[in-house]
Amino acid sequence: MRRLRRLAHLVLFCPFSKGLQGRLPGLRVKYVFLVWLGIFAGSWLAYVHYSSYAELCRGHICQVVICDQYRKGIISGSICQDLCHLHQVEWRTCLSSVPGQQVYSGLWQGKEVTIKCGIEESLDLKAGADAAPRRELVLFDKPTRGTSIKEFQEMTLSFLKANLGDLPSLPALAGQVLLMADFNKDHRVSLAEAKSVWALLQRNEFLLLLSLQEKEHASRLLGYCGDLYLTEGVPHSSWPGAVLPPLLRPLLPPALHGALQQWLGPAWPWRAKIAIGLLEFVEELFHGAYGTFYMCETTLANVGYTAKYDFRMADLQQVAPEAAVRRFLRGRHCEHSSDCTYGRDCRAPCDTLLRQCKGDLVQPNLAKVCELLQDYLLPGAPAGLRAALGKQLRTCTTLSGLASQVEAHHSLVLSHLKTLLWKEISNTKYT
């Protein structure tokens, strides 16, 4: 009986054991290959991440160069002492999206701040000791020695007119630039102070901060040294992809944006409050004291908010003065309307007969913002509001960039939208 059981066992299990033994070398090869592939992919991702980080995050170079110029007496500013001698400006997380514009979160005087500094294209990482003198020649070359205060004021006024248009309010803005230059309040502007403020004016975002400084939806300027400057702390981002590591953000499918927004974003009433702030910002950009401004990259990545859910424009780099956009479009040769695009989405029609760009933009700020708010506000909106809100947003997106239409409908549509949202959240804890 024992012999029969043993025979049955051999008959039943030996072929399987033999087959398994035959497959074991193949399984080992596959296992080794998968492990090797995993190590290779991990190493490649680590290399790409390190390379992109090293390229994008060069704040240490900014600080070395700025402090070198400060110690040489070439530049000055309200935070130079804290940055270069007392080391009281703490650099934290790198937030840069392009190598030429360094952005970091930081800490200064116990407050959370955003540190911003430009790196010229000529400033090569391999330039070594030659980097600082080249930066001095490129960036801190004006005004020259011997320039009087009156000449510097006229020079500043001409620059503002070229970039913002010929507006009656600009002499007052030029006066504010001089007051800012005299940070130590000694009633005189030194050459180093003048060079620093002039270099700052060349930064598009700084010019916008200066023009919008009295508006509550732009970050407040806290101090500067040369062309490095500090603003209020980084606002929270409304873009759902902001929670992901930078390397994974391009891989996020657009279809998941709405779902992530509902799972990870603020509650709908808070989103409504942020949207009202965004609409007020659009109002501020339209015929303000220093002219009209265009939003030329209308994305959720630029929609920020504070801890109290008050809207803050996260990045002013892509907000452009009307004068700058018109100068870009004037006489520009084109074959298609895509040739008449300033920034990412400030697009004008192309006159196919003259093969030149026209002056009016296809979409005003409000129409682009309403397109954004359709994805931001409609998911999760109260059932009784969704139909009316959807209708208002659709009407808003059809606004044309023609000056006559903007003047006629812009304020009315914007006012209706704000009223609709305020009515829903007024007299609640969300206001």
Side-chain angles (χ1 to χ4, degrees), residues 282-356:
V282 170
E283 247 178 330
E284 291 166 357
L285 295 183
F286 186 63
H287 288 336
Y290 303 115
T292 296
F293 296 86
Y294 294 130
M295 298 169 70
C296 293
E297 186 173 345
T298 318
T299 65
L300 275 181
N302 287 331
V303 178
Y305 57 92
T306 66
K308 294 183 178 180
Y309 298 94
D310 294 317
F311 168 77
R312 287 290 183 277
M313 189 67 181
D315 184 9
L316 287 171
Q317 285 290 339
Q318 300 301 325
V319 177
E322 182 183 31
V325 176
R326 289 194 178 277
R327 186 168 61 247
F328 170 83
L329 294 172
R330 192 182 299 123
R332 188 175 183 83
H333 177 79
C334 64
E335 298 291 336
H336 311 281
S337 61
S338 58
D339 299 326
C340 304
T341 306
Y342 183 97
R344 177 175 169 172
D345 54 24
C346 281
R347 183 173 291 115
C350 175
D351 188 325
T352 51
L353 292 176
L354 297 175
R355 295 189 183 277
Q356 282 189 354

Side-chain angles (χ1 to χ4, degrees), residues 408-427:
H409 301 297
H410 189 285
S411 299
L412 188 63
V413 171
L414 195 147
S415 176
H416 282 170
L417 264 174
K418 281 171 58 181
T419 303
L420 195 64
L421 293 172
W422 266 125
K423 198 178 289 185
E424 187 66 29
I425 64 171
S426 59
N427 301 318

Side-chain angles (χ1 to χ4, degrees), residues 94-368:
C94 173
L95 306 170
S96 308
S97 57
V98 291
Q101 179 69 23
Q102 294 298 293
V103 183
Y104 280 76
S105 65
L107 197 68
W108 177 63
Q109 294 185 350
K111 293 178 290 194
E112 290 191 358
V113 296
T114 305
I115 308 166
K116 300 193 175 183
C117 174
I119 293 184
E120 301 300 312
E121 292 302 317
S122 60
L123 240 181
D124 194 347
L125 283 170
K126 299 176 183 177
D130 186 43
R134 279 163 61 186
R135 182 177 172 85
E136 174 192 338
L137 289 172
V138 171
L139 187 61
F140 303 116
D141 58 341
K142 290 179 182 178
T144 54
R145 191 172 296 280
T147 303
S148 68
I149 289 291
K150 187 178 179 183
E151 287 171 334
F152 180 59
Q153 190 169 11
E154 289 172 354
M155 179 175 151
T156 303
L157 184 58
S158 296
F159 175 83
L160 293 174
K161 283 181 179 178
N163 286 275
L164 300 176
D166 194 357
L167 303 167
S169 55
L170 291 188
L173 188 60
Q176 289 180 38
V177 172
L178 285 182
L179 287 174
M180 185 181 296
D182 181 24
F183 71 93
N184 54 10
K185 311 300 178 191
D186 62 356
H187 305 292
R188 56 184 293 272
V189 177
S190 68
L191 184 61
E193 289 172 339
K195 280 179 181 287
S196 298
V197 169
W198 182 258
L200 282 168
L201 285 173
Q202 312 312 305
R203 303 286 172 206
N204 180 61
E205 187 184 35
F206 182 84
L207 182 59
L208 269 294
L209 281 173
L210 193 64
S211 306
L212 301 171
Q213 61 187 319
E214 295 171 4
K215 311 299 183 184
E216 62 175 301
H217 301 302
S219 295
R220 194 162 55 90
L221 182 70
L222 300 177
Y224 67 93
C225 180
D227 72 326
L228 178 149
Y229 57 98
L230 306 184
T231 63
E232 290 175 315
V234 181
H236 303 285
S237 177
S238 293
W239 183 52
V243 298
L244 298 174
L247 203 63
L248 298 179
R249 289 174 190 174
L251 305 178
L252 181 67
L256 284 178
H257 285 195
L260 278 175
Q261 181 61 62
Q262 285 192 274
W263 296 336
L264 304 173
W268 188 88
W270 289 130
R271 276 185 275 150
K273 185 182 179 185
I274 295 163
I276 290 168
L278 175 56
L279 292 169
E280 287 173 350
F281 181 69
V282 170
E283 247 178 330
E284 291 166 357
L285 295 183
F286 186 63
H287 288 336
Y290 303 115
T292 296
F293 296 86
Y294 294 130
M295 298 169 70
C296 293
E297 186 173 345
T298 318
T299 65
L300 275 181
N302 287 331
V303 178
Y305 57 92
T306 66
K308 294 183 178 180
Y309 298 94
D310 294 317
F311 168 77
R312 287 290 183 277
M313 189 67 181
D315 184 9
L316 287 171
Q317 285 290 339
Q318 300 301 325
V319 177
E322 182 183 31
V325 176
R326 289 194 178 277
R327 186 168 61 247
F328 170 83
L329 294 172
R330 192 182 299 123
R332 188 175 183 83
H333 177 79
C334 64
E335 298 291 336
H336 311 281
S337 61
S338 58
D339 299 326
C340 304
T341 306
Y342 183 97
R344 177 175 169 172
D345 54 24
C346 281
R347 183 173 291 115
C350 175
D351 188 325
T352 51
L353 292 176
L354 297 175
R355 295 189 183 277
Q356 282 189 354
C357 298
K358 295 181 179 179
D360 289 319
L361 296 184
V362 175
Q363 278 186 307
N365 291 332
L366 186 57
K368 291 189 286 187

